[in-house]
């Protein structure tokens, strides 16, 4: 029989559970009440739910315990929070769900939420988004900051949530399903450029951790490991997880965007140009 | 526009980072003020009695997790702590209590823990509890412990924190002594802490 205890949160966070429950409930409600032709297909629904559950799983199960006391598990946690989970959520194209909820909102609520839109647009500037994506990884892996983050419960939660939210923003910018020809979504060339650009610093950081002779992150030494494992092995595995899978995700992202760009090539034409030709 | 934005963002982030690291150079150990909750526990002493922080109230408390079968780290740490306390000005020597919490309750009986702790000085208190209570306490201080598979003789290794948590007289978490500090440095920090909170 599987160990149910593994599914119980190590560090119970009501806010986290509430947020995930709201997201899933909001998604489910929209699915049931939206126009059938708008409704995402089953693959997209599964991708969304898997992405959300992965992020939930690394934050509110026993996995979180191992993330706090093993460097390589911690890197795995951030790989999911900052890369894989948001990657799946963005790929699932939840745009119809957003539209549904946007239509449900009262005009007062919409005007209240306007500042959120401004912050969103600033954060989605291509340069800011790329610097933020890499900057957060470097910031939380800066050894003195990392030490404090692992010691303070508050900082630890701030770290994980900031990684998740930034991951969502970044991958949404990359996989925004709206065509750059018809809308002001980011152009495919720029998206590919960003994905390549963010891969390089991550590879450098990962390689640096892998090839470091000394202990870079002694907090796991100081605070005890979840099980007795050689610190060098832990650091090596953690470095590899910082280095290889994120680089691979960039490559996969680039391939997906290339495929879309080739697919749309010549098929979508700006309406204004059509009108121009007619006149 | 984006070309001009990049240097600006870099400058701001560098400034923000240096702001985080500026100042606070007065301790040799890691300053953990505000990062951790204050001292709180309910453990079993070597006489089988319940021990809480009240029993050592008003003292500087050094909290250390280990186990008596520990081959090198624990005895070294406890010896170093004793040396550091002995180097304090005479007035302060009785003001420091070392709380040695065994995370190996299966092997560390109260008697065994008692004789082990007293070996490292009069102000070393041996403490332990059942595993769930120990898990809760270590979680509070964001540390953990784990057991290796026992060998043929039933001996097993235990992974545990290698740091010493320092609490001031009022029980606030103040410093974290990481391995690598000299006795002199630890002693200076403890003297500093003892003098600061007495006045």
């Amino acid at each position: 029989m599987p160990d149910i205890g593994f599914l119980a949160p190590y560090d119970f966070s009501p806010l986290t559970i509430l947020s995930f429950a709201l997201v899933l409930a909001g998604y489910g409600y929209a699915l049931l009440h939206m126009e059938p032709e708008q409704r995402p297909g089953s693959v997209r629904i599964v991708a969304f739910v898997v992405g959300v559950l992965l992020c939930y799983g690394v934050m509110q199960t026993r996995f979180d315990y191992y993330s706090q006391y093993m460097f390589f598990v911690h890197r795995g946690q951030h790989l999911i929070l900052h890369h894989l989970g948001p990657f799946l959520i963005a790929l699932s194209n939840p745009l119809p769900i957003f539209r549904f909820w946007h239509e449900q909102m009262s005009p007062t609520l919409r005007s209240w939420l306007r500042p959120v839109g401004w912050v969103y647009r600033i954060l989605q500037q291509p340069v800011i988004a790329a610097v933020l994506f890499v900057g957060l990884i470097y910031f939380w892996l800066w050894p003195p900051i990392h030490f404090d983050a692992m010691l303070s419960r508050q900082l630890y939660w701030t770290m994980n949530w900031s990684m998740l939210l930034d991951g969502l923003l970044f991958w949404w910018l990359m996989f925004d399903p709206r065509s750059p020809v018809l809308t002001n979504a980011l152009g495919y060339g720029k998206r590919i450029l960003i994905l390549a650009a963010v891969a390089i610093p991550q590879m450098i950081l990962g390689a640096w951790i892998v090839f470091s002779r000394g202990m870079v992150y002694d907090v796991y030494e100081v605070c005890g490991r979840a099980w007795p494992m050689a610190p060098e092995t832990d650091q090596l595995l953690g470095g590899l997880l910082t280095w290889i899978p994120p680089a691979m995700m960039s490559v996969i992202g680039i391939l997906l965007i290339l495929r879309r760009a080739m697919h749309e090539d010549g098929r979508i034409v700006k309406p204004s140009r059509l009108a121009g030709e007619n006149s | 526009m984006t070309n001009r934005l990049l240097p600006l963002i870099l400058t701001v982030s560098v400034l923000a980072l240096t702001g985080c690291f500026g100042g606070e150079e007065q301790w040799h150990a890691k300053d953990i003020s505000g990062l951790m909750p204050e001292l709180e526990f309910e453990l079993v002493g070597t006489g089988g009695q319940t021990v809480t922080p009240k029993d050592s109230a008003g003292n500087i408390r050094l909290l250390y997790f280990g186990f008596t079968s520990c081959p090198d780290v624990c005895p070294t740490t406890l010896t170093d702590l004793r040396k550091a306390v002995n180097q304090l000005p005479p007035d302060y020597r009785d003001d420091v209590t070392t709380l040695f919490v065994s995370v190996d309750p299966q092997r560390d009986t109260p008697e065994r823990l008692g004789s082990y702790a007293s070996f490292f000085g009069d102000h070393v208190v041996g403490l332990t509890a059942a595993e769930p209570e120990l898990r809760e306490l270590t979680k509070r201080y964001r540390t953990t412990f784990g057991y290796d598979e026992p060998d043929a003789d039933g001996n097993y290794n235990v992974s545990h924190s290698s740091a010493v948590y320092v609490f001031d007289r009022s029980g606030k978490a103040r410093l974290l002594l990481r391995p690598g500090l000299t006795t002199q440095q630890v002693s200076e920090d403890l003297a500093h802490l003892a003098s600061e909170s007495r006045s």
Side-chain angles (χ1 to χ4, degrees):
Chain A
M1 197 184 134
D3 185 9
I4 302 292
F6 191 87
L7 294 176
Y10 171 64
D11 188 0
F12 176 67
S13 159
L15 192 68
T16 306
I17 293 191
L18 189 71
S19 315
F20 278 93
L22 277 178
V23 165
L24 283 181
Y27 190 83
Y29 182 88
L31 277 187
L32 293 175
H33 292 85
M34 70 201 310
E35 305 287 328
E37 62 269 22
Q38 295 281 318
R39 198 174 290 147
S42 52
V43 177
R44 278 167 59 191
I45 297 174
V46 169
F48 181 86
V49 173
V50 169
V52 171
L53 288 182
L54 273 176
C55 294
Y56 175 83
V58 296
M59 284 174 118
Q60 284 290 286
T61 66
R62 191 88 188 148
F63 190 94
D64 182 47
Y65 165 74
Y66 294 104
S67 309
Q68 292 188 27
Y69 302 114
M70 284 304 210
F71 179 63
F72 85 93
V73 186
H74 155 77
R75 292 318 302 151
Q77 183 188 42
H78 276 199
L79 184 66
I80 287 175
L81 287 179
H82 203 213
H83 288 83
L84 192 57
F87 185 95
L88 287 172
I89 292 170
L91 258 192
S92 79
N93 179 10
L95 199 61
I97 313 292
F98 294 150
R99 277 207 195 102
F100 173 84
W101 282 111
H102 193 255
E103 282 159 17
Q104 304 292 314
M105 283 176 195
S106 67
T108 353
L109 186 60
R110 274 185 219 173
S111 61
W112 272 96
L113 285 178
R114 203 161 293 154
V116 180
W118 297 334
V119 175
Y120 171 79
R121 269 185 283 279
I122 293 172
L123 293 179
Q124 294 300 65
Q125 293 287 323
V127 178
I128 295 182
V131 170
L132 200 63
F133 188 77
V134 175
L136 268 183
I137 301 174
Y138 271 73
F139 177 76
W140 291 117
L141 279 177
W142 194 272
I145 297 286
H146 192 74
F147 197 94
D148 282 10
M150 298 315 276
L151 282 191
S152 156
R153 184 168 180 240
Q154 217 172 348
L155 275 182
Y156 180 77
W157 279 105
T158 312
M159 167 174 78
N160 282 352
W161 268 104
S162 68
M163 290 306 262
L164 175 56
L165 293 177
D166 178 60
L168 289 169
L169 283 173
F170 179 82
W171 291 105
W172 178 244
L173 184 68
M174 294 300 107
F175 293 139
D176 190 334
R178 288 166 292 190
S179 163
V181 181
L182 301 174
T183 66
N184 56 0
L186 192 64
Y188 294 136
K190 281 185 186 160
R191 298 189 199 191
I192 291 171
L193 197 67
I194 291 177
L195 280 174
V198 298
I200 296 165
Q202 295 186 77
M203 289 156 90
I204 294 173
L205 180 63
W208 174 68
I209 296 171
V210 166
F211 292 115
S212 284
R213 293 266 165 240
M215 276 320 323
V216 184
Y217 301 105
D218 61 338
V219 65
Y220 302 89
E221 193 68 353
V222 167
C223 291
R225 289 192 155 76
W227 66 89
M229 177 194 240
E232 299 78 25
T233 318
D234 190 15
Q235 182 161 301
L236 177 80
L237 291 174
L240 289 176
L241 280 176
T242 312
W243 180 1
I244 298 168
M248 281 164 63
M249 307 257 332
S250 266
V251 174
I252 295 170
I254 290 172
L255 291 177
L256 288 171
I257 293 168
L258 276 176
R259 181 174 162 271
R260 252 178 63 190
M262 287 164 71
H263 215 70
E264 288 177 14
D265 218 5
R267 289 189 199 189
I268 299 179
V269 187
K270 244 185 191 151
S272 58
R273 204 187 296 165
L274 275 178
E277 278 167 5
N278 287 342
S279 64
Chain B
M1 190 205 96
T2 47
N3 286 344
R4 270 185 224 151
L5 220 54
L6 187 62
L8 180 75
I9 292 163
L10 287 177
T11 322
V12 169
S13 33
V14 166
L15 283 178
L17 280 175
T18 44
C20 295
F21 304 137
E24 297 172 21
E25 287 305 312
Q26 52 172 330
W27 303 102
H28 300 293
K30 162 87 187 155
D31 188 347
I32 54 165
S33 307
L35 289 180
M36 292 224 159
E38 59 183 25
L39 188 62
E40 203 181 287
F41 61 80
E42 201 178 300
L43 297 166
V44 184
T46 50
Q49 80 285 18
T50 305
V51 178
T52 67
K54 279 189 191 141
D55 297 291
S56 51
N59 269 14
I60 307 267
R61 267 70 56 90
L62 310 176
L63 177 66
Y64 182 61
F65 299 97
F67 62 117
T68 64
S69 322
C70 182
D72 42 24
V73 186
C74 307
T76 319
T77 308
L78 289 172
T79 311
D80 289 349
L81 285 182
R82 183 177 57 179
K83 280 190 207 151
V85 172
N86 285 341
Q87 277 185 23
L88 285 174
D91 276 7
Y92 294 145
R93 277 180 211 161
D94 290 336
D95 293 359
V96 180
T97 305
T98 304
L99 307 164
F100 177 73
V101 179
S102 165
V103 290
D104 186 16
Q106 213 174 352
R107 281 185 291 183
D108 290 342
T109 57
E111 302 78 46
R112 187 168 163 166
L113 198 52
S115 58
Y116 186 83
S118 62
F119 179 76
F120 293 101
D122 297 336
H123 294 294
V124 181
V125 183
L127 298 165
T128 192
E131 202 186 316
E133 277 92 65
L134 290 171
R135 290 271 168 217
E136 208 157 301
L137 180 66
T138 50
K139 182 176 171 182
R140 185 175 166 89
Y141 296 105
R142 303 198 70 80
T143 173
T144 190
F145 55 96
Y147 305 115
D148 241 351
E149 290 296 317
D151 65 10
D153 305 321
N155 295 319
Y156 52 88
N157 197 10
V158 180
S159 64
H160 60 92
S161 168
S162 64
V164 180
Y165 299 78
V166 184
F167 297 84
D168 65 15
R169 292 180 197 270
S170 62
K172 285 200 185 74
R174 296 295 299 275
L175 299 172
L176 190 71
L177 307 179
R178 284 195 258 189
L181 290 172
T182 64
T183 310
Q184 184 62 34
Q185 288 171 325
V186 174
S187 192
E188 279 171 20
D189 275 1
L190 292 180
H192 190 143
L193 200 61
S195 65
E196 158 201 281
S197 37
R198 191 182 255 185
S199 53

